[in-house]
Amino acid sequence: MTTVYFVRHAEPNYNNHDDELRELTEKGLEDRKLVTEYLSDKSIDVVLSSPYKRAVDTVMDFASYYSMTIEKIYDFRERKVDSEWIEDFIGFCKRQWADFNYKYTDGETLAEVQKRNISALKQVLEQYENKNIVIGSHGTALSTIINYYDPTYGFEEFDKIRQLMPWIVKLTFVGKKLIDMESVNVFEMLNE
């Protein structure tokens, strides 16, 4: 059995419009400790991540604590929206979720994001079969992975997690066959 913990990044600094270099806020840096706490008893074998700073930095606290390196995988990066900052992001998201082939001129479709993320995931499942894996990820990229396995997951579900940062989705596989998917709200752990 292979267990993959996709970790959607903690709160980023939206004043930084550089998608690759957008850092975590002070709150994000603090909240990533919840990820470390959740993963601490999961016998993690490998830590992977999107190369984007906010994703790497979210799993960095865990990796550093356990003296693990983070392997960056470019295909786990977030969707490219466009070269320009989008003011009506919600309207754009609704349109993309309604049509997986919709994109701005210089951006990616959700179908393209899903294809490269699923391809990268399948390679990880081959390379790290029967391991426990952490993957630093993003809200849209992760949501397209969920949609691949559960096509009923659409804009409404995406909108519910839009402000949930960090957020963990645990996927359990036998070979490449998904046998279980569980959403983990690390903030709810504080109240248990």
Side-chain angles (χ1 to χ4, degrees), residues 79-126:
R79 154 199 58 187
K80 181 174 182 183
V81 174
D82 199 23
S83 294
E84 303 296 320
W85 185 256
I86 305 298
E87 292 301 327
D88 181 17
F89 187 69
I90 299 304
F92 171 73
C93 287
K94 283 182 181 176
R95 186 137 182 216
Q96 276 210 307
W97 280 97
D99 177 1
F100 256 46
N101 293 306
Y102 175 76
K103 68 177 178 177
Y104 284 155
T105 307
D106 199 24
E108 286 181 288
T109 69
L110 291 186
E112 290 168 330
V113 175
Q114 184 181 66
K115 182 178 179 180
R116 69 172 161 74
N117 272 270
I118 291 297
S119 176
L121 176 58
K122 287 181 177 178
Q123 289 175 11
V124 165
L125 292 172
E126 279 181 22

mmCIF file of all heavy atoms in Angstrom, residues 79-126:
data_model
loop_
_atom_site.group_PDB
_atom_site.id
_atom_site.type_symbol
_atom_site.label_atom_id
_atom_site.label_comp_id
_atom_site.label_asym_id
_atom_site.label_seq_id
_atom_site.Cartn_x
_atom_site.Cartn_y
_atom_site.Cartn_z
ATOM 1 N N ARG A 79 -1.419 25.764 -11.445
ATOM 2 C CA ARG A 79 -1.893 26.177 -12.768
ATOM 3 C C ARG A 79 -1.378 27.577 -13.084
ATOM 4 O O ARG A 79 -1.373 28.466 -12.234
ATOM 5 C CB ARG A 79 -3.422 26.194 -12.749
ATOM 6 C CG ARG A 79 -4.049 27.135 -13.748
ATOM 7 C CD ARG A 79 -5.467 27.492 -13.428
ATOM 8 N NE ARG A 79 -5.557 28.099 -12.110
ATOM 9 C CZ ARG A 79 -6.679 28.393 -11.498
ATOM 10 N NH1 ARG A 79 -7.820 28.117 -12.069
ATOM 11 N NH2 ARG A 79 -6.685 28.933 -10.306
ATOM 12 N N LYS A 80 -0.962 27.762 -14.321
ATOM 13 C CA LYS A 80 -0.613 29.109 -14.782
ATOM 14 C C LYS A 80 -1.904 29.773 -15.237
ATOM 15 O O LYS A 80 -2.571 29.287 -16.163
ATOM 16 C CB LYS A 80 0.402 29.080 -15.922
ATOM 17 C CG LYS A 80 0.768 30.478 -16.369
ATOM 18 C CD LYS A 80 1.869 30.509 -17.390
ATOM 19 C CE LYS A 80 2.165 31.985 -17.703
ATOM 20 N NZ LYS A 80 3.166 32.115 -18.728
ATOM 21 N N VAL A 81 -2.273 30.862 -14.581
ATOM 22 C CA VAL A 81 -3.508 31.564 -14.904
ATOM 23 C C VAL A 81 -3.300 32.436 -16.138
ATOM 24 O O VAL A 81 -4.042 32.343 -17.105
ATOM 25 C CB VAL A 81 -3.975 32.412 -13.695
ATOM 26 C CG1 VAL A 81 -5.178 33.252 -14.069
ATOM 27 C CG2 VAL A 81 -4.310 31.502 -12.516
ATOM 28 N N ASP A 82 -2.292 33.289 -16.102
ATOM 29 C CA ASP A 82 -1.982 34.197 -17.199
ATOM 30 C C ASP A 82 -0.704 34.937 -16.827
ATOM 31 O O ASP A 82 -0.230 34.827 -15.696
ATOM 32 C CB ASP A 82 -3.141 35.192 -17.412
ATOM 33 C CG ASP A 82 -3.119 35.860 -18.789
ATOM 34 O OD1 ASP A 82 -2.529 35.291 -19.722
ATOM 35 O OD2 ASP A 82 -3.712 36.939 -18.925
ATOM 36 N N SER A 83 -0.166 35.721 -17.739
ATOM 37 C CA SER A 83 1.025 36.511 -17.423
ATOM 38 C C SER A 83 0.671 37.734 -16.588
ATOM 39 O O SER A 83 1.533 38.334 -15.962
ATOM 40 C CB SER A 83 1.716 36.961 -18.709
ATOM 41 O OG SER A 83 2.214 35.831 -19.382
ATOM 42 N N GLU A 84 -0.583 38.123 -16.620
ATOM 43 C CA GLU A 84 -1.061 39.279 -15.855
ATOM 44 C C GLU A 84 -1.822 38.813 -14.619
ATOM 45 O O GLU A 84 -2.383 37.719 -14.592
ATOM 46 C CB GLU A 84 -1.989 40.140 -16.729
ATOM 47 C CG GLU A 84 -1.354 40.622 -18.020
ATOM 48 C CD GLU A 84 -0.186 41.559 -17.787
ATOM 49 O OE1 GLU A 84 -0.276 42.405 -16.881
ATOM 50 O OE2 GLU A 84 0.820 41.436 -18.513
ATOM 51 N N TRP A 85 -1.860 39.665 -13.595
ATOM 52 C CA TRP A 85 -2.630 39.388 -12.374
ATOM 53 C C TRP A 85 -4.115 39.459 -12.701
ATOM 54 O O TRP A 85 -4.572 40.369 -13.389
ATOM 55 C CB TRP A 85 -2.263 40.407 -11.290
ATOM 56 C CG TRP A 85 -2.904 40.142 -9.969
ATOM 57 C CD1 TRP A 85 -3.954 40.812 -9.431
ATOM 58 C CD2 TRP A 85 -2.541 39.149 -9.009
ATOM 59 N NE1 TRP A 85 -4.276 40.301 -8.194
ATOM 60 C CE2 TRP A 85 -3.408 39.278 -7.903
ATOM 61 C CE3 TRP A 85 -1.563 38.155 -8.966
ATOM 62 C CZ2 TRP A 85 -3.334 38.466 -6.776
ATOM 63 C CZ3 TRP A 85 -1.495 37.354 -7.846
ATOM 64 C CH2 TRP A 85 -2.362 37.504 -6.783
ATOM 65 N N ILE A 86 -4.899 38.499 -12.225
ATOM 66 C CA ILE A 86 -6.337 38.436 -12.510
ATOM 67 C C ILE A 86 -7.105 39.039 -11.333
ATOM 68 O O ILE A 86 -7.004 38.540 -10.208
ATOM 69 C CB ILE A 86 -6.794 36.964 -12.731
ATOM 70 C CG1 ILE A 86 -5.958 36.301 -13.821
ATOM 71 C CG2 ILE A 86 -8.278 36.901 -13.046
ATOM 72 C CD1 ILE A 86 -6.049 36.906 -15.167
ATOM 73 N N GLU A 87 -7.876 40.097 -11.602
ATOM 74 C CA GLU A 87 -8.647 40.730 -10.522
ATOM 75 C C GLU A 87 -9.886 39.918 -10.167
ATOM 76 O O GLU A 87 -10.197 39.712 -9.004
ATOM 77 C CB GLU A 87 -9.040 42.161 -10.911
ATOM 78 C CG GLU A 87 -7.857 43.119 -10.993
ATOM 79 C CD GLU A 87 -7.077 43.250 -9.679
ATOM 80 O OE1 GLU A 87 -7.685 43.155 -8.591
ATOM 81 O OE2 GLU A 87 -5.844 43.435 -9.748
ATOM 82 N N ASP A 88 -10.634 39.438 -11.178
ATOM 83 C CA ASP A 88 -11.847 38.647 -10.912
ATOM 84 C C ASP A 88 -11.494 37.163 -10.910
ATOM 85 O O ASP A 88 -11.882 36.396 -11.790
ATOM 86 C CB ASP A 88 -12.929 38.942 -11.953
ATOM 87 C CG ASP A 88 -14.218 38.154 -11.678
ATOM 88 O OD1 ASP A 88 -14.395 37.644 -10.554
ATOM 89 O OD2 ASP A 88 -15.044 38.055 -12.607
ATOM 90 N N PHE A 89 -10.740 36.770 -9.899
ATOM 91 C CA PHE A 89 -10.251 35.394 -9.833
ATOM 92 C C PHE A 89 -11.395 34.393 -9.676
ATOM 93 O O PHE A 89 -11.379 33.317 -10.278
ATOM 94 C CB PHE A 89 -9.243 35.252 -8.682
ATOM 95 C CG PHE A 89 -8.569 33.919 -8.641
ATOM 96 C CD1 PHE A 89 -7.663 33.556 -9.622
ATOM 97 C CD2 PHE A 89 -8.853 33.021 -7.630
ATOM 98 C CE1 PHE A 89 -7.037 32.313 -9.597
ATOM 99 C CE2 PHE A 89 -8.227 31.774 -7.590
ATOM 100 C CZ PHE A 89 -7.324 31.426 -8.576
ATOM 101 N N ILE A 90 -12.412 34.725 -8.881
ATOM 102 C CA ILE A 90 -13.537 33.808 -8.663
ATOM 103 C C ILE A 90 -14.297 33.579 -9.969
ATOM 104 O O ILE A 90 -14.639 32.441 -10.306
ATOM 105 C CB ILE A 90 -14.492 34.337 -7.571
ATOM 106 C CG1 ILE A 90 -13.750 34.478 -6.244
ATOM 107 C CG2 ILE A 90 -15.703 33.418 -7.399
ATOM 108 C CD1 ILE A 90 -13.091 33.216 -5.765
ATOM 109 N N GLY A 91 -14.558 34.638 -10.706
ATOM 110 C CA GLY A 91 -15.238 34.501 -11.996
ATOM 111 C C GLY A 91 -14.442 33.627 -12.950
ATOM 112 O O GLY A 91 -14.994 32.763 -13.645
ATOM 113 N N PHE A 92 -13.131 33.837 -12.965
ATOM 114 C CA PHE A 92 -12.255 33.033 -13.811
ATOM 115 C C PHE A 92 -12.315 31.562 -13.391
ATOM 116 O O PHE A 92 -12.428 30.665 -14.229
ATOM 117 C CB PHE A 92 -10.822 33.563 -13.710
ATOM 118 C CG PHE A 92 -9.802 32.681 -14.365
ATOM 119 C CD1 PHE A 92 -9.702 32.607 -15.742
ATOM 120 C CD2 PHE A 92 -8.944 31.906 -13.595
ATOM 121 C CE1 PHE A 92 -8.765 31.783 -16.349
ATOM 122 C CE2 PHE A 92 -8.008 31.075 -14.192
ATOM 123 C CZ PHE A 92 -7.912 31.017 -15.571
ATOM 124 N N CYS A 93 -12.262 31.300 -12.073
ATOM 125 C CA CYS A 93 -12.305 29.919 -11.567
ATOM 126 C C CYS A 93 -13.612 29.228 -11.950
ATOM 127 O O CYS A 93 -13.615 28.076 -12.390
ATOM 128 C CB CYS A 93 -12.137 29.890 -10.051
ATOM 129 S SG CYS A 93 -10.463 30.249 -9.508
ATOM 130 N N LYS A 94 -14.723 29.922 -11.764
ATOM 131 C CA LYS A 94 -16.031 29.343 -12.125
ATOM 132 C C LYS A 94 -16.050 28.939 -13.597
ATOM 133 O O LYS A 94 -16.523 27.855 -13.947
ATOM 134 C CB LYS A 94 -17.151 30.348 -11.863
ATOM 135 C CG LYS A 94 -17.536 30.496 -10.425
ATOM 136 C CD LYS A 94 -18.684 31.484 -10.270
ATOM 137 C CE LYS A 94 -19.043 31.645 -8.814
ATOM 138 N NZ LYS A 94 -20.079 32.661 -8.600
ATOM 139 N N ARG A 95 -15.525 29.817 -14.435
ATOM 140 C CA ARG A 95 -15.525 29.528 -15.873
ATOM 141 C C ARG A 95 -14.638 28.318 -16.182
ATOM 142 O O ARG A 95 -14.989 27.466 -16.997
ATOM 143 C CB ARG A 95 -15.040 30.760 -16.642
ATOM 144 C CG ARG A 95 -15.144 30.581 -18.122
ATOM 145 C CD ARG A 95 -15.680 31.792 -18.810
ATOM 146 N NE ARG A 95 -15.801 31.512 -20.227
ATOM 147 C CZ ARG A 95 -15.575 32.381 -21.171
ATOM 148 N NH1 ARG A 95 -15.261 33.618 -20.869
ATOM 149 N NH2 ARG A 95 -15.689 32.044 -22.430
ATOM 150 N N GLN A 96 -13.468 28.221 -15.512
ATOM 151 C CA GLN A 96 -12.584 27.078 -15.763
ATOM 152 C C GLN A 96 -13.200 25.769 -15.279
ATOM 153 O O GLN A 96 -13.071 24.745 -15.938
ATOM 154 C CB GLN A 96 -11.222 27.291 -15.097
ATOM 155 C CG GLN A 96 -10.282 28.118 -15.941
ATOM 156 C CD GLN A 96 -8.836 27.770 -15.719
ATOM 157 O OE1 GLN A 96 -8.363 27.772 -14.587
ATOM 158 N NE2 GLN A 96 -8.118 27.491 -16.790
ATOM 159 N N TRP A 97 -13.852 25.792 -14.109
ATOM 160 C CA TRP A 97 -14.462 24.559 -13.601
ATOM 161 C C TRP A 97 -15.658 24.141 -14.456
ATOM 162 O O TRP A 97 -15.956 22.952 -14.564
ATOM 163 C CB TRP A 97 -14.841 24.703 -12.130
ATOM 164 C CG TRP A 97 -13.650 24.515 -11.242
ATOM 165 C CD1 TRP A 97 -12.863 25.487 -10.692
ATOM 166 C CD2 TRP A 97 -13.078 23.273 -10.839
ATOM 167 N NE1 TRP A 97 -11.834 24.922 -9.974
ATOM 168 C CE2 TRP A 97 -11.943 23.563 -10.037
ATOM 169 C CE3 TRP A 97 -13.405 21.930 -11.055
ATOM 170 C CZ2 TRP A 97 -11.142 22.578 -9.467
ATOM 171 C CZ3 TRP A 97 -12.605 20.949 -10.490
ATOM 172 C CH2 TRP A 97 -11.488 21.272 -9.707
ATOM 173 N N ALA A 98 -16.319 25.108 -15.087
ATOM 174 C CA ALA A 98 -17.449 24.792 -15.973
ATOM 175 C C ALA A 98 -16.950 24.230 -17.303
ATOM 176 O O ALA A 98 -17.647 23.455 -17.964
ATOM 177 C CB ALA A 98 -18.301 26.035 -16.208
ATOM 178 N N ASP A 99 -15.744 24.631 -17.705
ATOM 179 C CA ASP A 99 -15.168 24.188 -18.971
ATOM 180 C C ASP A 99 -13.682 23.902 -18.752
ATOM 181 O O ASP A 99 -12.860 24.820 -18.714
ATOM 182 C CB ASP A 99 -15.355 25.274 -20.041
ATOM 183 C CG ASP A 99 -14.714 24.914 -21.380
ATOM 184 O OD1 ASP A 99 -14.129 23.806 -21.513
ATOM 185 O OD2 ASP A 99 -14.774 25.757 -22.297
ATOM 186 N N PHE A 100 -13.327 22.629 -18.587
ATOM 187 C CA PHE A 100 -11.944 22.227 -18.288
ATOM 188 C C PHE A 100 -10.962 22.618 -19.394
ATOM 189 O O PHE A 100 -9.760 22.511 -19.215
ATOM 190 C CB PHE A 100 -11.882 20.718 -18.028
ATOM 191 C CG PHE A 100 -11.748 20.358 -16.573
ATOM 192 C CD1 PHE A 100 -12.532 20.957 -15.611
ATOM 193 C CD2 PHE A 100 -10.825 19.410 -16.158
ATOM 194 C CE1 PHE A 100 -12.404 20.641 -14.264
ATOM 195 C CE2 PHE A 100 -10.677 19.080 -14.815
ATOM 196 C CZ PHE A 100 -11.467 19.700 -13.876
ATOM 197 N N ASN A 101 -11.475 23.050 -20.558
ATOM 198 C CA ASN A 101 -10.599 23.448 -21.660
ATOM 199 C C ASN A 101 -10.502 24.963 -21.824
ATOM 200 O O ASN A 101 -9.875 25.444 -22.770
ATOM 201 C CB ASN A 101 -11.058 22.797 -22.972
ATOM 202 C CG ASN A 101 -10.855 21.297 -22.918
ATOM 203 O OD1 ASN A 101 -9.754 20.826 -22.636
ATOM 204 N ND2 ASN A 101 -11.903 20.542 -23.141
ATOM 205 N N TYR A 102 -11.086 25.725 -20.885
ATOM 206 C CA TYR A 102 -11.043 27.186 -20.952
ATOM 207 C C TYR A 102 -9.747 27.700 -20.334
ATOM 208 O O TYR A 102 -9.299 27.207 -19.295
ATOM 209 C CB TYR A 102 -12.233 27.797 -20.205
ATOM 210 C CG TYR A 102 -12.180 29.295 -20.131
ATOM 211 C CD1 TYR A 102 -12.502 30.074 -21.240
ATOM 212 C CD2 TYR A 102 -11.775 29.934 -18.964
ATOM 213 C CE1 TYR A 102 -12.431 31.453 -21.192
ATOM 214 C CE2 TYR A 102 -11.701 31.320 -18.901
ATOM 215 C CZ TYR A 102 -12.028 32.072 -20.013
ATOM 216 O OH TYR A 102 -11.953 33.431 -19.955
ATOM 217 N N LYS A 103 -9.167 28.700 -20.976
ATOM 218 C CA LYS A 103 -7.969 29.340 -20.421
ATOM 219 C C LYS A 103 -7.818 30.719 -21.027
ATOM 220 O O LYS A 103 -8.382 31.025 -22.078
ATOM 221 C CB LYS A 103 -6.719 28.514 -20.696
ATOM 222 C CG LYS A 103 -6.312 28.436 -22.172
ATOM 223 C CD LYS A 103 -5.020 27.659 -22.333
ATOM 224 C CE LYS A 103 -4.616 27.537 -23.796
ATOM 225 N NZ LYS A 103 -3.345 26.843 -23.929
ATOM 226 N N TYR A 104 -7.036 31.552 -20.348
ATOM 227 C CA TYR A 104 -6.617 32.816 -20.936
ATOM 228 C C TYR A 104 -5.482 32.505 -21.899
ATOM 229 O O TYR A 104 -4.859 31.437 -21.842
ATOM 230 C CB TYR A 104 -6.166 33.790 -19.858
ATOM 231 C CG TYR A 104 -7.300 34.414 -19.072
ATOM 232 C CD1 TYR A 104 -7.101 34.880 -17.787
ATOM 233 C CD2 TYR A 104 -8.571 34.557 -19.616
ATOM 234 C CE1 TYR A 104 -8.130 35.465 -17.061
ATOM 235 C CE2 TYR A 104 -9.603 35.132 -18.897
ATOM 236 C CZ TYR A 104 -9.383 35.585 -17.623
ATOM 237 O OH TYR A 104 -10.397 36.159 -16.911
ATOM 238 N N THR A 105 -5.179 33.449 -22.751
ATOM 239 C CA THR A 105 -4.200 33.252 -23.824
ATOM 240 C C THR A 105 -2.888 32.652 -23.335
ATOM 241 O O THR A 105 -2.344 31.738 -23.939
ATOM 242 C CB THR A 105 -3.899 34.590 -24.518
ATOM 243 O OG1 THR A 105 -5.137 35.170 -24.918
ATOM 244 C CG2 THR A 105 -3.035 34.393 -25.743
ATOM 245 N N ASP A 106 -2.392 33.150 -22.218
ATOM 246 C CA ASP A 106 -1.066 32.755 -21.756
ATOM 247 C C ASP A 106 -1.135 31.805 -20.554
ATOM 248 O O ASP A 106 -0.157 31.665 -19.825
ATOM 249 C CB ASP A 106 -0.276 34.022 -21.381
ATOM 250 C CG ASP A 106 1.212 33.771 -21.325
ATOM 251 O OD1 ASP A 106 1.680 32.823 -21.990
ATOM 252 O OD2 ASP A 106 1.901 34.501 -20.598
ATOM 253 N N GLY A 107 -2.276 31.160 -20.354
ATOM 254 C CA GLY A 107 -2.445 30.308 -19.182
ATOM 255 C C GLY A 107 -2.629 28.849 -19.543
ATOM 256 O O GLY A 107 -2.403 28.428 -20.677
ATOM 257 N N GLU A 108 -3.046 28.074 -18.537
ATOM 258 C CA GLU A 108 -3.296 26.644 -18.718
ATOM 259 C C GLU A 108 -4.769 26.328 -18.462
ATOM 260 O O GLU A 108 -5.409 26.951 -17.617
ATOM 261 C CB GLU A 108 -2.508 25.828 -17.685
ATOM 262 C CG GLU A 108 -1.042 25.715 -17.918
ATOM 263 C CD GLU A 108 -0.402 24.854 -16.840
ATOM 264 O OE1 GLU A 108 -0.305 25.325 -15.689
ATOM 265 O OE2 GLU A 108 0.000 23.713 -17.144
ATOM 266 N N THR A 109 -5.262 25.317 -19.136
ATOM 267 C CA THR A 109 -6.598 24.804 -18.846
ATOM 268 C C THR A 109 -6.510 23.887 -17.632
ATOM 269 O O THR A 109 -5.428 23.389 -17.296
ATOM 270 C CB THR A 109 -7.164 23.994 -20.029
ATOM 271 O OG1 THR A 109 -6.406 22.782 -20.152
ATOM 272 C CG2 THR A 109 -7.128 24.784 -21.336
ATOM 273 N N LEU A 110 -7.648 23.645 -16.985
ATOM 274 C CA LEU A 110 -7.647 22.680 -15.886
ATOM 275 C C LEU A 110 -7.336 21.281 -16.407
ATOM 276 O O LEU A 110 -6.714 20.480 -15.707
ATOM 277 C CB LEU A 110 -8.986 22.698 -15.142
ATOM 278 C CG LEU A 110 -9.292 23.952 -14.327
ATOM 279 C CD1 LEU A 110 -10.586 23.771 -13.532
ATOM 280 C CD2 LEU A 110 -8.148 24.336 -13.400
ATOM 281 N N ALA A 111 -7.737 20.994 -17.637
ATOM 282 C CA ALA A 111 -7.418 19.687 -18.235
ATOM 283 C C ALA A 111 -5.899 19.511 -18.350
ATOM 284 O O ALA A 111 -5.367 18.430 -18.061
ATOM 285 C CB ALA A 111 -8.074 19.556 -19.604
ATOM 286 N N GLU A 112 -5.195 20.572 -18.736
ATOM 287 C CA GLU A 112 -3.732 20.498 -18.848
ATOM 288 C C GLU A 112 -3.084 20.332 -17.472
ATOM 289 O O GLU A 112 -2.149 19.543 -17.316
ATOM 290 C CB GLU A 112 -3.190 21.765 -19.525
ATOM 291 C CG GLU A 112 -3.548 21.860 -20.992
ATOM 292 C CD GLU A 112 -3.264 23.224 -21.593
ATOM 293 O OE1 GLU A 112 -3.327 24.249 -20.875
ATOM 294 O OE2 GLU A 112 -2.981 23.259 -22.811
ATOM 295 N N VAL A 113 -3.580 21.077 -16.496
ATOM 296 C CA VAL A 113 -3.048 20.983 -15.132
ATOM 297 C C VAL A 113 -3.260 19.574 -14.587
ATOM 298 O O VAL A 113 -2.354 18.958 -14.013
ATOM 299 C CB VAL A 113 -3.715 22.031 -14.208
ATOM 300 C CG1 VAL A 113 -3.248 21.860 -12.774
ATOM 301 C CG2 VAL A 113 -3.423 23.438 -14.695
ATOM 302 N N GLN A 114 -4.474 19.052 -14.792
ATOM 303 C CA GLN A 114 -4.804 17.713 -14.311
ATOM 304 C C GLN A 114 -3.919 16.656 -14.979
ATOM 305 O O GLN A 114 -3.374 15.781 -14.297
ATOM 306 C CB GLN A 114 -6.277 17.405 -14.592
ATOM 307 C CG GLN A 114 -6.737 16.070 -14.053
ATOM 308 C CD GLN A 114 -8.202 15.829 -14.384
ATOM 309 O OE1 GLN A 114 -8.561 15.678 -15.559
ATOM 310 N NE2 GLN A 114 -9.040 15.818 -13.356
ATOM 311 N N LYS A 115 -3.737 16.771 -16.270
ATOM 312 C CA LYS A 115 -2.950 15.777 -17.011
ATOM 313 C C LYS A 115 -1.512 15.708 -16.491
ATOM 314 O O LYS A 115 -0.993 14.625 -16.234
ATOM 315 C CB LYS A 115 -2.964 16.111 -18.505
ATOM 316 C CG LYS A 115 -2.215 15.112 -19.352
ATOM 317 C CD LYS A 115 -2.307 15.453 -20.829
ATOM 318 C CE LYS A 115 -1.525 14.441 -21.642
ATOM 319 N NZ LYS A 115 -1.569 14.716 -23.078
ATOM 320 N N ARG A 116 -0.865 16.864 -16.298
ATOM 321 C CA ARG A 116 0.533 16.825 -15.849
ATOM 322 C C ARG A 116 0.649 16.416 -14.392
ATOM 323 O O ARG A 116 1.594 15.735 -14.005
ATOM 324 C CB ARG A 116 1.261 18.123 -16.160
ATOM 325 C CG ARG A 116 0.834 19.322 -15.378
ATOM 326 C CD ARG A 116 1.772 20.505 -15.656
ATOM 327 N NE ARG A 116 1.175 21.763 -15.306
ATOM 328 C CZ ARG A 116 1.006 22.191 -14.054
ATOM 329 N NH1 ARG A 116 1.398 21.452 -13.037
ATOM 330 N NH2 ARG A 116 0.453 23.365 -13.828
ATOM 331 N N ASN A 117 -0.313 16.815 -13.546
ATOM 332 C CA ASN A 117 -0.271 16.406 -12.141
ATOM 333 C C ASN A 117 -0.515 14.908 -11.995
ATOM 334 O O ASN A 117 0.165 14.242 -11.209
ATOM 335 C CB ASN A 117 -1.286 17.203 -11.313
ATOM 336 C CG ASN A 117 -0.706 18.492 -10.793
ATOM 337 O OD1 ASN A 117 -0.151 18.538 -9.709
ATOM 338 N ND2 ASN A 117 -0.824 19.562 -11.587
ATOM 339 N N ILE A 118 -1.461 14.361 -12.730
ATOM 340 C CA ILE A 118 -1.746 12.920 -12.655
ATOM 341 C C ILE A 118 -0.569 12.126 -13.220
ATOM 342 O O ILE A 118 -0.181 11.093 -12.670
ATOM 343 C CB ILE A 118 -3.070 12.572 -13.379
ATOM 344 C CG1 ILE A 118 -4.258 13.141 -12.591
ATOM 345 C CG2 ILE A 118 -3.210 11.075 -13.581
ATOM 346 C CD1 ILE A 118 -4.440 12.571 -11.189
ATOM 347 N N SER A 119 0.032 12.614 -14.302
ATOM 348 C CA SER A 119 1.208 11.944 -14.868
ATOM 349 C C SER A 119 2.340 11.902 -13.838
ATOM 350 O O SER A 119 2.978 10.856 -13.636
ATOM 351 C CB SER A 119 1.655 12.676 -16.131
ATOM 352 O OG SER A 119 2.835 12.106 -16.631
ATOM 353 N N ALA A 120 2.582 13.029 -13.161
ATOM 354 C CA ALA A 120 3.629 13.083 -12.130
ATOM 355 C C ALA A 120 3.282 12.157 -10.967
ATOM 356 O O ALA A 120 4.150 11.449 -10.447
ATOM 357 C CB ALA A 120 3.799 14.522 -11.630
ATOM 358 N N LEU A 121 2.013 12.133 -10.568
ATOM 359 C CA LEU A 121 1.585 11.254 -9.471
ATOM 360 C C LEU A 121 1.802 9.789 -9.832
ATOM 361 O O LEU A 121 2.302 9.014 -9.007
ATOM 362 C CB LEU A 121 0.119 11.508 -9.123
ATOM 363 C CG LEU A 121 -0.491 10.590 -8.061
ATOM 364 C CD1 LEU A 121 0.272 10.649 -6.739
ATOM 365 C CD2 LEU A 121 -1.968 10.929 -7.848
ATOM 366 N N LYS A 122 1.476 9.398 -11.047
ATOM 367 C CA LYS A 122 1.661 8.001 -11.462
ATOM 368 C C LYS A 122 3.141 7.612 -11.450
ATOM 369 O O LYS A 122 3.491 6.493 -11.062
ATOM 370 C CB LYS A 122 1.032 7.764 -12.832
ATOM 371 C CG LYS A 122 -0.495 7.744 -12.760
ATOM 372 C CD LYS A 122 -1.142 7.497 -14.102
ATOM 373 C CE LYS A 122 -2.654 7.422 -13.954
ATOM 374 N NZ LYS A 122 -3.340 7.219 -15.241
ATOM 375 N N GLN A 123 4.011 8.539 -11.828
ATOM 376 C CA GLN A 123 5.455 8.269 -11.768
ATOM 377 C C GLN A 123 5.907 8.104 -10.315
ATOM 378 O O GLN A 123 6.702 7.219 -10.003
ATOM 379 C CB GLN A 123 6.232 9.397 -12.441
ATOM 380 C CG GLN A 123 6.072 9.408 -13.945
ATOM 381 C CD GLN A 123 6.757 10.613 -14.598
ATOM 382 O OE1 GLN A 123 7.517 11.328 -13.954
ATOM 383 N NE2 GLN A 123 6.479 10.827 -15.873
ATOM 384 N N VAL A 124 5.383 8.937 -9.439
ATOM 385 C CA VAL A 124 5.710 8.844 -8.008
ATOM 386 C C VAL A 124 5.228 7.499 -7.450
ATOM 387 O O VAL A 124 5.943 6.846 -6.681
ATOM 388 C CB VAL A 124 5.081 10.024 -7.228
ATOM 389 C CG1 VAL A 124 5.085 9.772 -5.725
ATOM 390 C CG2 VAL A 124 5.819 11.320 -7.562
ATOM 391 N N LEU A 125 4.033 7.073 -7.853
ATOM 392 C CA LEU A 125 3.493 5.796 -7.363
ATOM 393 C C LEU A 125 4.348 4.612 -7.819
ATOM 394 O O LEU A 125 4.476 3.625 -7.098
ATOM 395 C CB LEU A 125 2.040 5.617 -7.824
ATOM 396 C CG LEU A 125 1.027 6.573 -7.200
ATOM 397 C CD1 LEU A 125 -0.330 6.422 -7.873
ATOM 398 C CD2 LEU A 125 0.914 6.355 -5.690
ATOM 399 N N GLU A 126 4.937 4.719 -9.000
ATOM 400 C CA GLU A 126 5.852 3.667 -9.479
ATOM 401 C C GLU A 126 7.168 3.702 -8.703
ATOM 402 O O GLU A 126 7.656 2.678 -8.232
ATOM 403 C CB GLU A 126 6.148 3.862 -10.970
ATOM 404 C CG GLU A 126 5.085 3.344 -11.883
ATOM 405 C CD GLU A 126 5.445 3.533 -13.350
ATOM 406 O OE1 GLU A 126 6.656 3.679 -13.668
ATOM 407 O OE2 GLU A 126 4.521 3.536 -14.173
#
